[in-house]
Amino acid sequence: MTLSPGSTELTLDPARQPEETPAPNLAELTLEPVHCRPELLDACADLINEQWPRSRTSRLHSLGQSSDAFPLCLMLLSPRPTPEAAPIVVGHARLSRVLDQPQSLLVETVVVARALRGRGFGRRLMEGLEAFAQARGFRRLHLTTHDQLHFYAHLGYQLGEPVQGLVFTSRRLPATLLNAFPRAPFPRPPCKAPSLTAQAAPRAPKGSSLPPPPPLPEPLTTLPPPPGGPPPQSLLETQYQDLRRRPIFWMEKDI
């Protein structure tokens, strides 16, 4: 199972799975933020780069930006095989806040270890991050896919509209902007870092020095439906395309 960065495109590839690879017990898997387990940064970077090659320095820097203020990177971990060994990084996903939708998160960069694909770990990862988001006060997840609509539909996702993910690091933003995302008494994650509540950001007063919100993404190629024609998206066709002109299906799920 593979999913492309910035989207959640699933590809099942059982033919490339070594039969001798023992699968971890699904019941023993845990989901933990990357920034709570810095000793696993290298293993997580290797997992992602196996699917989407990128400068190791750049990949580690990107993972290092994970925080409870979002974007937040999650690892699906298997228990250590021996007391001396580190846990095995089985999968990864990133969650980002959504512009103008304070109770929503955008799911991106989802991947499962190549040798473990097709064994239910993708479902376990998706179910885990849904529970993670729900426990922190979020009520909807958004994602994109190219051709795995039926997989996500089986998990309860429905076709939706495009959204803009907010990608920033809180340490580089002024306190006045951070106050737009107040913290709340939701359960703390394993590393005891505070969680954020899902509240609407207050409008900046006239003449405020707050920076403008991130720009909207470049317009996607769209084709308006003809009068009386089919809806913009269906499980067979969509009006959205990526830069390579591949179809993009936006999906969402209330959690």
Side-chain angles (χ1 to χ4, degrees):
M1 181 185 69
T2 64
L3 298 111
S4 59
S7 76
T8 46
E9 177 188 0
L10 183 83
T11 302
L12 299 179
D13 193 10
R16 304 182 66 173
Q17 300 171 16
E19 293 184 0
E20 68 275 12
T21 301
N25 188 336
L26 287 171
E28 297 179 348
L29 298 177
T30 60
L31 196 67
E32 299 186 36
V34 169
H35 54 277
C36 294
R37 302 298 299 269
E39 74 278 12
L40 298 177
L41 272 175
D42 287 333
C44 189
D46 290 340
L47 171 69
I48 302 173
N49 274 355
E50 181 184 20
Q51 184 61 41
W52 305 294
R54 180 179 176 186
S55 161
R56 185 175 183 79
T57 300
S58 177
R59 182 68 69 189
L60 288 172
H61 175 76
S62 178
L63 289 171
Q65 304 308 303
S66 173
S67 78
D68 295 295
F70 295 92
L72 185 150
C73 297
L74 293 169
M75 295 181 295
L76 187 64
L77 301 179
S78 173
R80 60 190 67 193
T82 65
E84 300 78 17
I88 299 173
V89 181
V90 175
H92 166 275
R94 186 175 75 168
L95 298 174
S96 300
R97 300 293 290 267
V98 175
L99 182 66
D100 294 331
Q101 298 190 39
Q103 291 190 316
S104 294
L105 290 173
L106 178 63
V107 183
E108 303 175 282
T109 319
V110 182
V111 64
V112 166
R114 190 181 299 277
L116 298 175
R117 295 169 187 172
R119 305 186 188 185
F121 295 100
R123 169 185 286 274
R124 180 68 181 85
L125 177 58
M126 295 300 296
E127 292 173 346
L129 66 85
E130 289 172 13
F132 182 93
Q134 186 178 35
R136 284 151 181 80
F138 295 96
R139 294 293 175 259
R140 178 172 294 181
L141 295 179
H142 301 263
L143 56 81
T144 62
T145 182
H146 291 291
D147 59 3
Q148 294 299 320
L149 289 85
H150 295 284
F151 171 81
Y152 288 108
H154 189 66
L155 295 180
Y157 287 81
Q158 299 178 343
L159 294 173
E161 297 298 322
V163 298
Q164 170 64 51
L166 294 173
V167 181
F168 57 77
T169 301
S170 62
R171 289 168 293 182
R172 297 180 181 178
L173 293 176
T176 50
L177 182 56
L178 295 180
N179 288 336
F181 300 95
R183 299 172 186 259
F186 287 109
R188 294 177 181 268
C191 58
K192 299 182 179 180
S195 301
L196 297 178
T197 183
Q199 296 184 7
R203 293 187 178 181
K206 191 172 183 179
S208 170
S209 59
L210 290 178
L216 293 174
E218 295 183 6
L220 298 170
T221 301
T222 62
L223 295 175
Q233 285 195 109
S234 72
L235 292 182
L236 298 177
E237 59 183 22
T238 176
Q239 61 175 327
Y240 306 110
Q241 296 181 359
D242 64 11
L243 295 179
R244 297 181 179 178
R245 303 191 68 80
R246 295 181 300 175
I248 295 177
F249 294 86
W250 285 88
M251 305 191 78
E252 60 189 42
K253 178 181 180 178
D254 292 332
I255 56 176

